[in-house]
Amino acid sequence: MPKPNLHLITNYRRTKDAFQKGNVFCALDTETTGLSTQTSRLIELSAIKFTKDCILESFSTLINPCCPIPEKITDITGIKDADVKNAPIAEKVIPEFKKFCQDTILVAHNAQFDLRFINMESEKLGLEPLTNFAVDTLRLSRILLPENGTWKQAKLAEQFKIRVEHAHRAQDDTRVCMELFKKLIELPLPIKKKRKPKND
């Protein structure tokens, strides 16, 4: 089965215009048992709905992956098997999340990773993939801060003095992503350097 297309907005001006007009955005983050959508599962999903004026609503839950969490993932996230033992399974979480983010523009750092995992879980449940437009703050930061050299969310948070409390936990990463997006959307587009004409 072919992978569903991800509706990523790559036009910065279009993104800024949508934000300034008061569209509802939904920052999100996931934690997973690994990097591959073929062999890994979601273990946490968080999201915050917001506009240019305020935060509207939040969503956050651990997810029982119905498989052991690798030790290296526990080392990174702090999430243990015992933490997800009584958590809802994806079959319950994914429909609730899709209802929560309906009619919003999604925002995530390295958005393709998070969206592909959510769509993978949707596919397993026989549900349609997400159809929302989405903004990738990783791509956006590369466009707006080309001289940075690194565009990791933690480094960008430090650069913009955004508080980080629990890195690699979905709820805090989601808040940081939302605040980072708001900072980025205030920046002007960098001026492109004119190419020197080639000598004949």
Side-chain angles (χ1 to χ4, degrees):
M1 183 175 179
K3 291 180 180 178
N5 292 326
L6 300 175
H7 305 288
L8 293 176
I9 302 173
T10 56
N11 187 310
Y12 170 69
R13 288 187 177 86
R14 181 182 173 191
T15 304
K16 189 166 188 170
D17 185 58
F19 186 67
Q20 291 176 339
K21 285 182 175 178
N23 280 257
V24 178
F25 286 72
C26 180
L28 67 97
D29 187 70
T30 64
E31 301 300 334
T32 67
T33 59
L35 300 178
S36 170
T37 54
Q38 302 301 312
T39 58
S40 306
R41 303 297 301 273
L42 290 174
I43 55 175
E44 190 174 28
L45 173 58
S46 292
I48 300 173
K49 283 198 293 194
F50 66 98
T51 66
K52 64 183 177 66
D53 299 314
C54 64
I55 292 174
L56 302 174
E57 196 177 357
S58 61
F59 176 102
S60 186
T61 182
L62 289 167
I63 301 171
N64 187 339
C66 302
C67 65
I69 298 174
E71 186 177 344
K72 64 181 180 180
I73 299 299
T74 296
D75 290 341
I76 294 169
T77 65
I79 301 173
K80 303 182 289 291
D81 289 330
D83 297 324
V84 299
K85 182 179 178 181
N86 297 316
I89 60 176
E91 186 175 2
K92 182 175 187 298
V93 173
I94 295 301
E96 290 179 356
F97 171 73
K98 294 181 80 170
K99 184 177 180 181
F100 176 84
C101 72
Q102 189 175 7
D103 300 324
T104 68
I105 298 172
L106 303 178
V107 181
H109 201 73
N110 192 15
Q112 292 191 62
F113 179 86
D114 300 287
L115 299 182
R116 281 178 176 154
F117 264 91
I118 293 169
N119 284 339
M120 173 273 293
E121 296 285 7
S122 295
E123 183 183 326
K124 287 183 177 180
L125 298 172
L127 301 175
E128 292 295 317
L130 291 167
T131 57
N132 309 58
F133 284 102
V135 177
D136 185 352
T137 52
L138 175 58
R139 287 190 180 191
L140 195 57
S141 62
R142 283 175 171 161
I143 292 170
L144 298 171
L145 303 166
E147 306 300 326
N148 255 35
T150 180
W151 298 272
K152 291 183 178 179
Q153 182 165 285
K155 287 293 184 181
L156 291 165
E158 183 180 344
Q159 182 175 344
F160 286 105
K161 296 179 172 55
I162 297 169
R163 185 181 82 259
V164 176
E165 295 178 351
H166 302 290
H168 300 296
R169 285 303 303 265
Q171 190 168 15
D172 196 52
D173 282 351
T174 296
R175 176 188 57 78
V176 172
C177 180
M178 175 189 69
E179 293 185 20
L180 173 60
F181 171 79
K182 289 180 175 180
K183 294 289 187 182
L184 291 173
I185 214 70
E186 293 174 357
L187 298 177
L189 274 171
I191 299 172
K192 290 184 179 180
K193 294 178 182 179
K194 291 183 179 180
R195 291 182 179 180
K196 292 182 181 180
K198 292 181 180 179
N199 294 326
D200 293 333

